[in-house]
Amino acid sequence: MATSADVNTPKEEPLKEDFSDLLTCTICLETFKQPKKCEQVITIDKAVAGVKESTKAKELMKKLKETSKKLEEIICSRKQNTTNFEGEIDGVLVEIGHIREKINKKLDDLEKRIREEVNSNFISGIFFNDDIIITDYEKNRIVCHDNTGKQTEVLNIPNYPTDITKVNDQKIFIINVKPLILAKTLDTKVPTWGLCLVENEYITANSNTIYWLNAETGAKIKELATGADTRFVTCYKKNEYVYMNNTNSIKLESADGKGFQYTDSKLLSYSYNQEIDKEWNIYVVGYSSNNIHQLTPAGQLIRIIPVSDIDNTITGHPWVMRYKRNTNRFLSKFNGSKGQC
């Protein structure tokens, strides 16, 4: 009969070695278990002996040397190409400088030629698409320039032009621009100077009167007396127009009650011409005051632009200002001893 102490006593078991966690080959494992079999294992020194002198090793070394040489050649070639490229860039920059000088010279020559033409006393002008059409009062002609300022066509007319499509007293000439030819002449019974076309009516002015004329026949429709020597009327809507009504003021007449009068007795003098931009701001050209007053559509002053701020070389008085429709590009004419445009 066994006691409780005999039951809890563990039995002795033979010692076992566990090689499951070791990384080794089966030969090494057997050798470890049976040391007498070590002669079956080849050492690393014996395994690599003579490798460097083998044919394959020599071929590999040869290929490595050839590859290294090619890499050196590529690196040298790249350095040379970089040097050549830098030299080419320097050459291109020098050539760009020469081209810039030539372009600037051509632009200077073009500007000089335009100024010389303008100095012949062009009176007025307008944009026509991308062209500029200018009246030459002294030479009795209409001159067409392209958008680079180059003169492209000239139309001689029998009278002195004072505004585009209008010449002398009691005549309106209608022209085609391309080609530049005279298309029609309207004989009017009223003196004319500036000219504006709205719908089927011409609006013109001379001395102290504004006239509305039938665009087909030239017949007078109505007239309005002004308080000054009105020369131009600016109008882009029927029954809404701007004109000089006093030596120090302009007036906007409007059928819908938006009219106003703008006056500046100190800084505005003889605003013969006015212009309206695409935002409906109004530009009042002060001929004797040598400035341009920019107004809101409601007649509030935005700023006063002295002629010197536009170009301090201008010696003439501002005469006409015309915007190219729906753009910020405008044409200005200055009268005086030397005209500028």
Side-chain angles (χ1 to χ4, degrees):
M1 179 180 292
T3 64
S4 60
D6 293 334
V7 173
N8 294 328
T9 300
K11 296 180 180 181
E12 292 186 2
E13 295 182 0
L15 181 63
K16 294 182 180 180
E17 297 182 16
D18 186 4
F19 299 98
S20 60
D21 292 336
L22 297 178
L23 295 176
T24 183
C25 66
T26 55
I27 295 176
C28 291
L29 183 60
E30 292 299 325
T31 300
F32 184 80
K33 293 178 180 180
Q34 302 179 28
K36 293 182 180 181
K37 295 183 179 181
C38 289
E39 64 273 7
Q40 297 181 18
V41 179
I42 300 174
T43 64
I44 293 176
D45 292 337
K46 290 182 180 181
V48 300
V51 169
K52 293 183 179 180
E53 302 300 325
S54 66
T55 302
K56 290 185 177 180
K58 290 180 179 180
E59 291 178 353
L60 178 60
M61 290 299 296
K62 182 180 179 181
K63 290 181 179 180
L64 289 174
K65 289 180 180 180
E66 291 175 352
T67 302
S68 176
K69 183 178 179 181
K70 289 181 179 179
L71 289 174
E72 289 179 358
E73 291 175 352
I74 291 172
I75 293 172
C76 291
S77 176
R78 177 172 294 181
K79 289 181 179 179
Q80 183 62 40
N81 290 338
T82 301
T83 302
N84 294 340
F85 181 68
E86 291 174 350
E88 291 175 358
I89 289 177
D90 292 338
V92 170
L93 293 176
V94 171
E95 184 62 23
I96 289 174
H98 292 159
I99 293 173
R100 182 183 290 112
E101 290 178 359
K102 293 179 181 179
I103 292 175
N104 289 339
K105 185 177 184 304
K106 287 185 178 295
L107 291 175
D108 290 341
D109 293 342
L110 177 60
E111 180 182 3
K112 181 180 178 181
R113 187 169 69 252
I114 292 175
R115 288 186 179 276
E116 288 174 351
E117 291 179 355
V118 170
N119 286 341
S120 65
N121 196 16
F122 289 124
I123 294 297
S124 183
I126 60 170
F127 286 99
F128 187 87
N129 296 328
D130 290 330
D131 297 319
I132 300 173
I133 314 300
I134 300 177
T135 59
D136 186 345
Y137 183 87
E138 291 184 347
K139 296 182 179 180
N140 289 21
R141 63 180 187 169
I142 307 296
V143 183
C144 180
H145 295 262
D146 64 19
N147 59 359
T148 68
K150 180 181 178 181
Q151 179 178 307
T152 57
E153 291 186 83
V154 175
L155 174 65
N156 295 313
I157 54 178
N159 299 90
Y160 298 112
T162 54
D163 198 7
I164 190 66
T165 72
K166 182 268 174 189
V167 293
N168 208 1
D169 289 346
Q170 301 183 3
K171 279 188 183 294
I172 296 175
F173 284 1
I174 302 172
I175 62 173
N176 289 327
V177 174
K178 290 188 176 181
L180 192 61
I181 59 174
L182 179 62
K184 184 179 180 180
T185 302
L186 292 180
D187 290 317
T188 67
K189 303 300 181 182
V190 300
T192 58
W193 189 275
L195 194 65
C196 187
L197 177 65
V198 177
E199 295 184 10
N200 198 37
E201 294 178 357
Y202 285 115
I203 305 176
T204 186
N206 199 328
S207 188
N208 297 69
T209 308
I210 299 173
Y211 301 96
W212 283 259
L213 309 175
N214 184 288
E216 295 296 327
T217 65
K220 183 178 73 173
I221 299 173
K222 63 179 180 179
E223 65 181 70
L224 173 70
T226 67
D229 183 16
T230 305
R231 298 297 182 94
F232 297 93
V233 179
T234 301
C235 180
Y236 293 109
K237 295 180 180 179
K238 194 168 185 178
N239 299 322
E240 186 171 304
Y241 52 94
V242 187
Y243 64 96
M244 180 180 74
N245 71 327
N246 198 291
T247 55
N248 305 113
S249 67
I250 60 99
K251 190 172 185 179
L252 171 69
E253 299 281 5
S254 177
D256 58 9
K258 296 181 180 179
F260 63 83
Q261 178 169 302
Y262 171 78
T263 303
D264 190 329
S265 58
K266 294 182 179 180
L267 299 177
L268 180 63
S269 179
Y270 286 97
S271 174
Y272 290 112
N273 180 247
Q274 304 82 37
E275 179 59 313
I276 300 174
D277 66 15
K278 64 179 182 179
E279 305 296 334
W280 296 100
N281 295 313
I282 300 171
Y283 295 80
V284 181
V285 181
Y287 179 82
S288 297
S289 53
N290 284 330
N291 54 30
I292 298 173
H293 295 231
Q294 183 184 11
L295 310 180
T296 67
Q300 300 299 314
L301 178 65
I302 298 175
R303 58 175 174 163
I304 298 176
I305 308 169
V307 169
S308 58
D309 284 359
I310 300 174
D311 187 342
N312 58 16
T313 65
I314 294 175
T315 59
H317 299 284
W319 178 246
V320 170
M321 180 179 181
R322 297 278 167 81
Y323 265 98
K324 183 178 181 181
R325 292 298 95 197
N326 300 318
T327 72
N328 290 323
R329 188 182 181 193
F330 67 89
L331 170 73
S332 291
K333 171 65 183 70
F334 299 85
N335 278 350
S337 57
K338 289 186 177 180
Q340 283 88 12
C341 187

